[in-house]
Amino acid sequence: MSDQQRVNVSILDKDYQVACPPSERESLHHAAEELDERMRVIRGSGNVVGLERIAVMTALNLCYELQQATKSPQQSSPENAVALERIATKLARALDKPST
């Protein structure tokens, strides 16, 4: 755990601390910004109420996009597929842990 740093991210106006390697800090911030944007779109639709439901719907959309990207390798590089898989794994872990 010594190579991990605590990074603060804000998603739907809530602050979260996430551990990540220093080399992935910028990527984590970009991922948090995209997640925040996607969750705001779903919340803004008015069809989904509650933070947990918004998070689940966002995760579902991201998983669907990941599946579509891995089914169409000509449209995405192997590096993109690996990166998307890593993001999906991190999302799954984050959703399993209670927020701090």
Side-chain angles (χ1 to χ4, degrees), residues 17-62:
Q17 283 190 351
V18 181
C20 80
S23 62
E24 293 185 16
R25 185 180 185 132
E26 186 176 336
S27 295
L28 176 64
H29 279 290
H30 289 297
E33 288 170 6
E34 181 174 349
L35 179 60
D36 179 68
E37 181 180 322
R38 287 172 177 254
M39 289 179 72
R40 286 180 187 280
V41 167
I42 289 174
R43 182 179 67 182
S45 74
N47 296 330
V48 182
V49 178
L51 182 60
E52 184 176 320
R53 288 180 183 266
I54 292 169
V56 168
M57 292 306 299
T58 304
L60 215 83
N61 288 337
L62 287 167

